[in-house]
Structures are given as structure tokens and as C-alpha cells.
Amino acid sequence: MKKLLPLAAFVITFLTACDDTTGTAGTEVMQDGDHITTSTAIFNAPSKSILAEHVLIATSHSYLGCIVDPETGSMTRSSFLAQYRPLDNYSQPEIDLMEKDENGLVACDSCELNLYYTSYLGDSLVAMNARVRELDPLHIMEEGQFYYSDLQPEDYLGTTPRLDVSSTYSIFDPSRPNQTASSSAYYRRITMRLPVEYGAEIIRKYYTNPAGFTNAYQFIHQICPGLYVENTGGVGCMLDVQFSTLDVYFTYHGTTTAGNDTTYAGLARFSATEEVLQNTTVDTQIPEGLLAESNPYTMLKSPAGIYTELTLPVEEIFSGEHAKDTLNSAQLLLDQYNSTEVTSGTFTLPPPTRILLIPKSEIQTFFEKSKLPDDVTSFLATYSNGAYAFNNIARLIKTLYLRRDNGDSEWNKVVLIPVDANYTTVQSLYTSTEVLTRIRCALSMTSIRLVGGSSTPPQIRCIYSHFE
């Protein structure tokens, strides 16, 4: 066998390193005079909108409120269940120093639930209603289980919870100066007053059962199993609750540095953070017309709203005149469908920042196993210039081609899912790199229409090569 020309050898090496081949195109021994030619082809990928019945909850924060999408008329209502934990090395003053009530019991000055947020969606003036109940200590949310957005709070609520109060709130806080409240450095919060008796019961348990305050597990199982904060009224505002705190205020006695008797204000704070479970429940009401296959668009809507499903023309890509070609790349571009329909309100929901492309059959395992996109069967795209671009899904197409005889009737179906992505910065000597560390289903309010449907399907642009 004669040696290949240097240029041809370089091209073959490049294509082997960067591109994928079809199941029917193998490696051949080429003779002198053979050369590589390229060709392109465009294929339709029919798309449709499908309901996202539920999504896996795997987030460190929660959502509370109710919003009607002014563009589509769909309504989303969110509430959340949260567990709380004591601070590390938690302690309270000696019981003899604590202020007592008329019955000689440790006294509580006040008790409140604070919801801290940095962002919200909707009207800052609208009045919203919420109901706060303690969860059932006999039905505790446990680590290591999968919780979805359609979980039933009643499964974790007793018939007569120790705590059951209602509260009205709005984003605008008239007690703070506008300049302070509108500052980006101001960590805003919603405060819900809780009964003094509830707070007193918690801090009293410290003196009868101090082991219950040693860590999150003991606190949840022995002191407070968590709270359910339910949206019970009001439409027009959605809070992104970064974290919440259960705060109990008390008074205790002590001495000054000069040795004089004095009293101090104390605070027992228990926090809902990433170390404990926070599960958002989502109820989405979607007009049937948004799912019509006759629409010249498909939808992406979160949370737990609408996905876009595509049927990839896998067999068509690997047949006909391209049956023996090498598939070098396959680009899928999804353009935003411009619409001016607004049914109410003056704001529009933002588009998902990132979306995941994945085979329909792999959605559940992908999120439950905390996988990351591998650029083989799962891909991540970022919204830019009114579109999402998947620059090369050739490896996905080949993988699906090899699966076509496995008995799965939806072997060539893929789904677009709005997701949240977490990155960490890796610092080297001269540069820093953002490394993807986690993908989760988006629970924030987003919405976008994509050009698609049966009449205007998205297109896949394929580039092939073959030897002559």
C-alpha cells in the first residue's frame, strides 16, 4: 500500500478527531488519487409542545406566589415546604438567666418567619396572602429521596398542626426609605409574625432536650419538622426566596463589664439553607391552545410547564445519497418566535437562559443521577440573539441511529428543557475558567415561543464528507 499524500493524511486525521461517522461508513484503505469531498444537506425536525407534568426539585431556594403570564394567559402558583437547622455549636443562656413568664416558664418576646429574597417577578404593590403551618413530626421529609414539583403537601401535614397562621404581605415595604429598599445591596425580606407561644415552646425544649439542637437531623426529628408556606391568595407576584429563617426573640439577664446587673435581647435563629430540604410545589394552569400542533411555534415554559419535543430525522440523515458518507457535523438552530400577544399586565416573562437537549427516555435518570451534559446524548445551549444554537449534535444522531431497533417507539424523540446551571471558577496561574458543576430543572418563571410546529419545523444542517 502506498503512502497517503500529506494533505490528505492531515484532513483524515482532523475529521477523525473532531467528527463522527455514520453506522454504515467505515474506514477504508485509500489508493493514490483518492480525495475527500464535502457536501451539505438540510433536514426538517418536526416539533411540538408537550406538558411537563412535574420536575425534580433539587434547589437550595424556594418560590412563593402566583403569576399570570400576560403573553399566554397561563397561571403558575408556587408554595414551599422547608426544614430548618440550628447554627453550629448552638447554645442558649443558662436557664436561671432567662426571663420567665408569670408561670415561671422561659418567656418568648416574639417569633417570626423571615423570607429573604433578592429578586421577584410582578407587581411590588399587589397584596399577597400566605398560610404558614408546621409539618407533621410523624411524616418527615427525608434526605436521599426524590421530590417532584407535584408532591402533595397534605402527605406531610398533620390534621391539627401546632402552628397554623395566615399572613398578608407585599413587596413594597413602606417602613423603609425608598432609597434603601431599592438598593442592590439591600437584602429584602418578608416578615410573617408567628404566635409567641410557638417560639416559647421551641426555646423551652432546649433545656429539656438539648440533644435536639446538636445538628439539623436532630432538630428536624425532635424539635421542629419544618414549615409549609402556602400561597392562599393574591395574583401578580412571585418571590424567589433565597433562604428563610425562623427567629425567636427572648430576654435574659447578665452583668456588664463593670459588674452591674443588666438585661440583654437574645435571638434564637434557625435557618432553611442548602443543608436541609426545601421543596417547592408548583401548580400550573396552561390554556389548551398553547399545545396545539397547528401553531407556528412551540413553547418552553418553566417551572413544570411546557417542553418542546423534536423528532430527529435520523434514518433520513443516514440514507439515500448519504448512506455511505461520514457525518461531520449537524447543527440545530432554534429561533425565537416573535409575538406581540399580551392578554394582561405590562411585563413579559424572560426566556430561559439555558436549555437542555436530551433523549426523551433519559429525562428522569439524567436529573435523578445529577448528570452533566456529555455532548454525546445531552447538550446545553444558552439563549443568545433571540435563538438557541446546538452547534454539533452529530454524535447524538449516530447514537440514536444505533438504538433504532431496541424496541423503543420514541427512540428518535428528544426534548428541550429549561434548566438552571451552576458553575465554579477554577483559577490557574494566569487565567480563570468557569466549570459547569450542576444542572437542575428551572423552577423560576420563564417563557419563550420557538419557531416550529408542523408547518414550520426547525431544521438540522448536516455536513458530510466522503472519499472519491
Side-chain angles (χ1 to χ4, degrees):
M1 182 183 71
K2 297 182 180 181
K3 294 183 179 179
L4 297 174
L5 294 175
L7 177 60
F10 170 78
V11 174
I12 294 172
T13 301
F14 176 80
L15 293 175
T16 303
C18 300
D19 302 320
D20 210 348
T21 57
T22 70
T24 58
T27 303
E28 300 179 359
V29 177
M30 308 307 297
Q31 303 298 323
D32 285 343
D34 294 331
H35 62 279
I36 297 174
T37 62
T38 62
S39 59
T40 63
I42 296 177
F43 302 93
N44 290 331
S47 62
K48 66 178 182 178
S49 299
I50 61 174
L51 281 176
E53 297 180 357
H54 58 227
V55 298
L56 181 66
I57 303 169
T59 181
S60 60
H61 50 103
S62 307
Y63 293 87
L64 177 67
C66 182
I67 283 283
V68 174
D69 182 350
E71 183 180 18
T72 65
S74 60
M75 184 177 73
T76 300
R77 186 183 304 275
S78 294
S79 305
F80 69 90
L81 300 82
Q83 296 174 338
Y84 294 83
R85 62 182 296 270
L87 298 175
D88 294 336
N89 303 314
Y90 178 86
S91 66
Q92 290 177 193
E94 295 293 332
I95 191 170
D96 293 339
L97 301 177
M98 297 289 286
E99 182 76 13
K100 309 297 193 304
D101 63 14
E102 63 275 10
N103 298 316
L105 301 175
V106 171
C108 168
D109 296 332
S110 62
C111 182
E112 59 190 28
L113 176 66
N114 285 297
L115 311 180
Y116 291 85
Y117 65 97
T118 54
S119 63
Y120 69 92
L121 194 64
D123 188 350
S124 64
L125 299 177
V126 66
M128 304 294 292
N129 300 318
R131 183 183 181 187
V132 182
R133 282 175 281 177
E134 187 181 59
L135 300 179
D136 185 359
L138 300 179
H139 298 86
I140 292 177
M141 298 183 297
E142 300 289 358
E143 293 282 354
Q145 299 183 19
F146 297 116
Y147 296 94
Y148 282 81
S149 58
D150 61 350
L151 89 168
Q152 300 301 312
E154 292 75 17
D155 295 340
Y156 303 95
L157 287 168
T159 55
T160 56
R162 290 189 304 169
L163 174 67
D164 189 347
V165 297
S166 296
S167 179
T168 300
Y169 67 91
S170 62
I171 296 299
F172 178 70
D173 186 352
S175 66
R176 295 178 180 268
N178 287 339
Q179 185 176 2
T180 300
S182 61
S183 170
S184 60
Y186 170 55
Y187 221 126
R188 292 167 287 183
R189 71 177 184 267
I190 299 295
T191 297
M192 299 180 179
R193 305 295 179 184
L194 305 182
V196 170
E197 295 75 17
Y198 182 72
E201 185 175 351
I202 291 177
I203 59 175
R204 288 170 187 169
K205 286 184 177 180
Y206 176 80
Y207 301 103
T208 59
N209 182 21
F213 294 79
T214 54
N215 55 48
Y217 181 87
Q218 298 301 332
F219 186 80
I220 293 166
H221 285 77
Q222 299 186 45
I223 308 300
C224 175
L227 303 177
Y228 174 43
V229 185
E230 179 187 11
N231 171 264
T232 54
V235 178
C237 182
M238 182 70 70
L239 278 177
D240 182 349
V241 181
Q242 297 296 302
F243 66 95
S244 61
T245 60
L246 174 59
D247 295 334
V248 184
Y249 297 88
F250 56 87
T251 300
Y252 66 98
H253 300 275
T255 57
T256 66
T257 55
N260 299 320
D261 292 339
T262 188
T263 58
Y264 294 97
L267 168 62
R269 168 162 288 177
F270 310 100
S271 304
T273 61
E274 194 161 2
E275 291 80 11
V276 293
L277 293 178
Q278 298 181 71
N279 294 334
T280 296
T281 67
V282 180
D283 177 20
T284 303
Q285 299 178 19
I286 296 174
E288 293 183 3
L290 292 182
L291 304 175
E293 295 189 26
S294 59
N295 291 334
Y297 59 82
T298 61
M299 294 289 303
L300 289 177
K301 178 175 284 294
S302 67
I306 304 176
Y307 296 158
T308 286
E309 176 187 294
L310 295 94
T311 302
L312 299 185
V314 178
E315 291 182 312
E316 187 179 354
I317 290 174
F318 288 153
S319 63
E321 61 181 296
H322 300 291
K324 295 184 178 181
D325 291 348
T326 298
L327 179 63
N328 296 327
S329 69
Q331 183 188 57
L332 173 63
L333 184 65
L334 300 158
D335 291 311
Q336 182 173 5
Y337 179 86
N338 294 320
S339 172
T340 58
E341 299 177 19
V342 176
T343 59
S344 64
T346 58
F347 73 96
T348 57
L349 298 181
T353 301
R354 295 178 179 87
I355 62 173
L356 179 73
L357 172 66
I358 188 172
K360 190 175 184 180
S361 60
E362 298 180 10
I363 295 175
Q364 181 173 341
T365 57
F366 181 91
F367 291 105
E368 289 188 352
K369 293 184 177 181
S370 300
K371 294 183 177 181
L372 295 176
D374 58 11
D375 291 336
V376 177
T377 58
S378 53
F379 300 79
L380 192 65
T382 301
Y383 179 78
S384 179
N385 298 320
Y388 300 95
F390 295 94
N391 291 321
N392 192 356
I393 60 171
R395 298 178 73 181
L396 168 64
I397 293 173
K398 177 184 176 180
T399 300
L400 297 182
Y401 182 75
L402 297 174
R403 293 179 182 177
R404 68 193 188 283
D405 297 324
N406 65 1
D408 182 2
S409 61
E410 297 186 313
W411 63 273
N412 59 346
K413 309 291 186 185
V414 297
V415 177
L416 302 173
I417 303 174
V419 294
D420 293 327
N422 296 113
Y423 292 83
T424 186
T425 301
V426 177
Q427 192 74 38
S428 63
L429 184 59
Y430 300 108
T431 62
S432 60
T433 305
E434 295 293 313
V435 178
L436 180 64
T437 57
R438 191 171 186 181
I439 290 289
R440 295 179 278 196
C441 292
L443 290 179
S444 57
M445 295 286 297
T446 68
S447 180
I448 191 173
R449 303 189 195 208
L450 300 174
V451 174
S454 57
S455 59
T456 55
Q459 294 183 326
I460 299 177
R461 181 181 179 85
C462 296
I463 299 179
Y464 299 91
S465 65
H466 62 273
F467 297 103
E468 292 184 351

